[in-house]
């Protein structure tokens, strides 16, 4: 019944058919049961379902003796959900690698487990230089211990923290960023790691400061012109 369900039918729907009618192994033509025995254990294959659709599966085959007759016992494992999760993880990984914002993931103790290329570009540190290290290597000294204490109190309580930091690049120069850090929970609700999305706002803030200075000078100029006129 389980095999019939995987193929989208009932045992009655499969009578008169062979497993070869429903298996596709990429790159190999399966014509006899001996072909099945030649495949590696837990080979990835495709199941051709009764409705014409295909489903990914793992297949193992072995010869067994049934009375005086030798048969081939085929074990099939539906990996549709596993494939879906794998594709989802690949999509998320590609998105993280391509993101313009720096992404950093640490374990519960704060050791860095992942950084994306944007992190390397912004900080000047390579992935190999920071893996296993603590993000405190970016500290600039511009934020006090109370700032970081409040951040970690929120995170260990399972809350998302957002804020503005001034950090230090590998070359010693300072940069400003807006961070959002969130705990990652397992199925039991326990914190397993933390993910930080870091947006470099250095240039934006510099332009804003230049605009403020320009407006300030214009105001002083207008005031001076008014005084001279008076």
């Amino acid at each position: 019944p389980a095999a019939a369900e995987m193929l989208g039918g009932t045992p009655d729907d499969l009578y008169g058919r062979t497993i070869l009618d429903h298996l596709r192994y990429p790159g190999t033509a399966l014509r006899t049961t001996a072909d099945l025995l030649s495949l590696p254990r837990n080979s990835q294959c495709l199941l051709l379902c009764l409705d014409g659709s295909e489903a990914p599966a793992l297949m193992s085959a072995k010869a067994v003796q049934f009375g005086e007759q030798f048969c081939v016992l085929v074990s099939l494992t539906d990996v549709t959900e596993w494939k879906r999760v794998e594709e989802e993880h690949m999509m998320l990984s590609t998105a993280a690698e391509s993101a313009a914002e720096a992404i950093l993931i640490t374990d519960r103790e704060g050791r860095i487990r992942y950084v994306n290329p944007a992190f390397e570009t912004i900080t000047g540190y390579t992935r190999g230089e920071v893996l296993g290290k603590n993000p405190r290597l970016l500290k600039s000294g511009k934020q006090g211990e109370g700032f970081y204490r409040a951040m970690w109190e929120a995170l260990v309580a399972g809350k998302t923290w957002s804020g503005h930091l001034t950090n230090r690049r590998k070359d010693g120069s300072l940069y400003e960023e807006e961070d959002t850090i969130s705990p990652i929970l397992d199925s039991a609700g326990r914190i397993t790691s933390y993910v930080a999305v870091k947006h470099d706002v250095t240039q934006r803030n510099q332009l804003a400061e230049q605009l403020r200075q320009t407006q300030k000078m214009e105001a002083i100029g207008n005031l001076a012109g008014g005084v001279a006129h008076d």
Side-chain angles (χ1 to χ4, degrees):
E5 184 177 347
M6 288 177 63
L7 293 171
T10 66
D12 289 339
D13 296 323
L14 300 180
Y15 288 144
R17 295 173 175 267
T18 73
I19 190 62
L20 296 173
D21 296 327
H22 295 281
L23 273 184
R24 299 291 182 271
Y25 188 80
T28 302
L30 301 177
R31 296 187 178 88
T32 68
T33 51
D35 294 330
L36 298 179
L37 296 173
S38 66
L39 297 177
R41 181 179 175 82
N42 287 329
S43 297
Q44 293 192 37
C45 64
L46 291 174
L47 288 179
L48 182 59
C49 300
L50 291 170
D51 62 3
S53 63
E54 294 181 339
L58 295 180
M59 188 274 296
S60 295
K62 65 177 181 178
V64 296
Q65 188 170 1
F66 187 71
E68 297 182 355
Q69 185 177 10
F70 281 95
C71 303
V72 176
L73 176 64
V74 178
S75 299
L76 296 169
T77 303
D78 186 353
V79 293
T80 303
E81 181 63 16
W82 174 74
K83 279 288 188 182
R84 185 193 65 78
V85 172
E86 183 183 55
E87 291 172 358
E88 185 176 279
H89 285 177
M90 185 175 296
M91 179 183 66
L92 292 174
S93 176
T94 301
E97 289 288 296
S98 305
E101 289 78 14
I103 297 175
L104 179 149
I105 298 175
T106 73
D107 60 17
R108 287 183 59 186
E109 286 69 43
R111 291 183 292 263
I112 297 174
R113 289 290 176 254
Y114 170 82
V115 295
N116 68 342
F119 175 92
E120 297 177 299
T121 300
I122 293 170
T123 67
Y125 287 99
T126 65
R127 188 172 298 182
E129 289 175 315
V130 300
L131 290 181
K133 305 288 182 60
N134 191 288
R136 68 171 63 96
L137 62 86
L138 300 174
K139 276 188 176 183
S140 64
K142 298 293 185 179
Q143 291 84 216
E145 290 305 314
F147 177 91
Y148 293 105
R149 189 182 308 114
M151 175 198 296
W152 279 105
E153 285 176 355
L155 292 174
V156 298
K159 300 176 182 177
T160 294
W161 179 90
S162 296
H164 182 96
L165 295 93
T166 300
N167 279 341
R168 189 181 303 276
R169 297 185 180 91
K170 182 181 178 181
D171 64 9
S173 62
L174 300 181
Y175 68 100
E176 297 181 62
E177 64 183 22
E178 291 177 351
D179 286 17
T180 299
I181 309 174
S182 303
I184 299 175
L185 310 179
D186 63 14
S187 58
R190 294 171 297 208
I191 297 174
T192 61
S193 50
Y194 300 95
V195 57
V197 178
K198 308 159 80 66
H199 182 55
D200 185 352
V201 294
T202 307
Q203 187 176 21
R204 185 193 73 185
N205 288 355
Q206 288 173 344
L207 292 173
E209 180 60 26
Q210 289 173 6
L211 178 60
R212 281 194 296 270
Q213 291 299 324
T214 300
Q215 291 172 336
K216 180 179 179 182
M217 294 306 294
E218 288 177 351
I220 293 173
N222 292 335
L223 178 61
V227 170
H229 175 75
D230 291 342

